[in-house]
Amino acid sequence: MRKPTIIDLAKAAGVSPTTVSHAFSGRRKVDPATRERIIALAEEMGYRPNQAAQRLRSGRTGTIALASSMPFAVAAGASRLGFLMEIAASAAMTALTRNMALCLIPPLAPGSNLDSLALDGAIVVEPARDDPLISRFEARHTPIVSIGKVPGRDDIPAVDLRSAQTARLLLDHLYQAGSRRIGLITGERRRTSYEETEAAYAEFAAAHDMPQVAARLDETGGESLAETETMQLLRRNPDLDGLLVTVDAFATGALTALAGLGRRVPQDIRLATRYDGLRARLAQPPLTAVDLHLDQIANIAVEMIFARIEGRDHTIEAPIVTLLPRPSSLP
Amino acid sequence: MRKPTIIDLAKAAGVSPTTVSHAFSGRRKVDPATRERIIALAEEMGYRPNQAAQRLRSGRTGTIALASSMPFAVAAGASRLGFLMEIAASAAMTALTRNMALCLIPPLAPGSNLDSLALDGAIVVEPARDDPLISRFEARHTPIVSIGKVPGRDDIPAVDLRSAQTARLLLDHLYQAGSRRIGLITGERRRTSYEETEAAYAEFAAAHDMPQVAARLDETGGESLAETETMQLLRRNPDLDGLLVTVDAFATGALTALAGLGRRVPQDIRLATRYDGLRARLAQPPLTAVDLHLDQIANIAVEMIFARIEGRDHTIEAPIVTLLPRPSSLP
DNA sequence: AGAATTTACCAAAACGTTTTGCGCGAATCG
DNA sequence: CGATTCGCGCAAAACGTTTTGGTAAATTCT
């Protein structure tokens, strides 16, 4: 009573294994009648092609990597959660439906064993300009799909995170909520989301005749760095009445700073961030954020890397982002 | 310039593929000298055994499942994070070092495609008594390791979550912080962690001559259910000055209720929970919790399922839990 | 010294697919 | 009507391991 093989199925259907294979793969014509008979019989017998055999034959490994260059302190943190894990959960599920396994790659311990594991493709999350992750995979000829464009690399397929649009959405919202002097805090590394946000901010500032007050923080600094830097920022620019902070850990750090300075949120100064994670939602007050639809993004990334592995080239539009207004910026 | 195979390596070493295989697996004696020569040569040529071939030959799939019976509302939530993901992240990494892929199994959509995917083993997270997940895997003869014992099933290998000890730790702490009337909130499903906590609570109550005030909530109810139920609990037992809430989402719900009732935390009533997630840490005030060392737990579970798959039976002690006192229970 | 055992290795047969080249009858073409 | 194409199907050769049943030579036993 072992699992039926393609041979068992072929015998039962009175055809050769070849025909069964073609019936499933569609790589050659088979008579529609026989095809249906085979499919039905397969269903009945509970036949599933053996993956190991398929992979051996095809040379594929059935594994795709999910890698992030964000330092753990931000990407995963002491609690190992957030942005990356949210993507991982969705991507893992979608990969499953494709009979692919998703491997989480730890943030690049230098000279790590990354070379030892065989991969069909890699999904890279928010890479920075000249990110070593990218060159690693390229050196191995591993197909890449990026979540968030790779700065300066339009040739690498990516799921757009729509950061420019996100920034405009948040800035317009802060403006409508009454803010006239808005500051910006992003990260130091050159990621597309920061660059687009900064550009949108510059444009917004110009359009509203607003002075630019911006800071870039070291991502490994986390909440505490954001706290001290926000303090300084407000000391130098006491008239700030709005703050756009792209990284959620920075945003909660900023919130602490504001509380320390005695600025009331949202009455004196309004605060908004990008990623709608637990941090944003549980903050006091809860932070206005944007629904990036990360689950869909993750699925799209998997579909795209899958297409890429198969040699097809398939670009899928990223979902539209939507604003999630919360007390941190509401009157 | 394709990847060297065992045959290439055998030729280079002047032996047969058989010998190379044995040199690596150690399943038969080979001359130590030749063995070393082979290993060195393998290193030099960059030989890695082809996994697909190994799996085809051995009949293994190289995939283990990570499954939870907790409803998404609690286990993953709108943000898909928490307990489960924390385990997933660690387990995935450890699995990687074993050349195994970890698959996240979605919480059992009834009649789902679970049967379709081939698994070498499954790690089940905090199963309940008579959990359908368990019977599913057993029906398929898939080896199981449970994180948190399976109630009533001492025959299934498990990594103990030490819930009895955890409960005692928290109860003693609350007592030392001044609480004399402590209430308990757990979940409805019969999970070992609840059962052990309840037992420890009963024992503690008896020892301290304290009346028992306990509630079990529907896990799908989440924060809002916990809020209303906590209200009721306190209305009926206004003298409560301590609360042990095992599920973090319930704990934050309770916190909201307490605020609504005008009870100050920790002055009037002290609160503690079990899982030290983002929720506990970000709550206002931050919640006293316990470090379960989930990363280690996850690794242990992977090691155990791995041993189990290979036919060995290997039990590894769970790490000792440690208290994380926070303002929710500190004077 | 001959028999029995151990050592060190090898050849060949799986494992379950997919792919390639080929055959054969039927349909189409000039 | 002969020649060509097309549709449908098959046999056999990979893909890279591990395992099993061997065989000589070296060692040990009696």
Side-chain angles (χ1 to χ4, degrees), chain B residues 8-126:
Chain B
D8 302 328
L9 179 53
K11 273 189 189 132
V15 297
S16 78
T18 309
T19 306
V20 175
S21 177
H22 289 326
F24 280 112
S25 71
R27 298 187 66 87
R28 280 206 192 173
K29 281 260 158 215
V30 321
D31 188 89
T34 31
R35 200 187 107 91
E36 275 196 32
R37 186 158 40 96
I38 291 173
I39 304 277
L41 215 49
E43 180 76 22
E44 183 189 324
M45 300 173 59
Y47 167 74
R48 320 230 96 225
N50 179 307
Q51 285 188 25
Q54 286 183 316
R55 301 214 230 269
L56 174 58
R57 185 53 235 230
S58 69
R60 301 241 182 85
T61 65
T63 303
I64 59 185
L66 181 70
S68 163
S69 74
M70 275 266 192
F72 249 13
V74 178
S79 60
R80 295 276 192 69
L81 303 174
F83 200 86
L84 182 63
M85 283 294 109
E86 191 163 344
I87 291 176
S90 280
M93 305 279 43
T94 311
L96 202 67
T97 68
R98 297 284 198 210
N99 279 322
M100 293 250 160
L102 188 84
C103 272
L104 293 175
I105 301 289
L108 207 76
S112 69
N113 58 347
L114 193 149
D115 308 302
S116 81
L117 82 152
L119 297 172
D120 288 339
I123 296 175
V124 177
V125 178
E126 290 230 87

Side-chain angles (χ1 to χ4, degrees), chain B residues 22 30 109 139 143 166 180 182 200 204 227 236 266 268 292 312 314:
Chain B
H22 289 326
V30 321
T166 301
R180 289 300 174 270
I182 304 178
F204 179 91
E227 186 180 338
R236 281 197 305 267
D268 305 335
L292 300 169
R312 294 176 292 137
H314 190 46

Side-chain angles (χ1 to χ4, degrees), chain A residues 228-277:
Chain A
T228 58
E229 292 293 324
T230 305
M231 288 267 191
Q232 292 211 13
L233 201 69
L234 267 106
R235 222 158 265 159
R236 280 198 306 267
N237 305 275
D239 60 337
L240 281 184
D241 58 1
L243 214 43
L244 173 55
V245 187
T246 50
V247 180
D248 64 342
F250 289 167
T252 48
L255 205 53
T256 313
L258 295 177
L261 291 170
R263 310 278 181 120
R264 293 168 308 165
V265 177
Q267 296 89 338
D268 306 333
I269 182 167
R270 281 151 292 279
L271 187 59
T273 188
R274 178 179 73 143
Y275 166 55
D276 176 45

Side-chain angles (χ1 to χ4, degrees), chain A residues 6 21 27-28 47 50 53-54 57:
Chain A
I6 199 173
S21 176
R27 297 188 64 88
R28 280 206 194 171
Y47 167 74
N50 179 308
Q54 288 183 314
R57 187 51 236 230

Side-chain angles (χ1 to χ4, degrees), chain B residues 227 231 235 253-263:
Chain B
E227 186 180 338
M231 288 267 192
R235 220 159 264 157
L255 205 53
T256 313
L258 295 177
L261 290 170
R263 310 279 182 119

Side-chain angles (χ1 to χ4, degrees), chain A residues 33 98 107 133 145 154 156 164-165 169 171 174 192 205 208 252 280 329:
Chain A
R98 298 283 198 209
L133 265 181
V145 164
D154 286 336
I156 298 180
Q165 194 187 334
L169 211 57
L171 289 168
L174 288 174
T192 297
H208 292 78
T252 48
S329 66

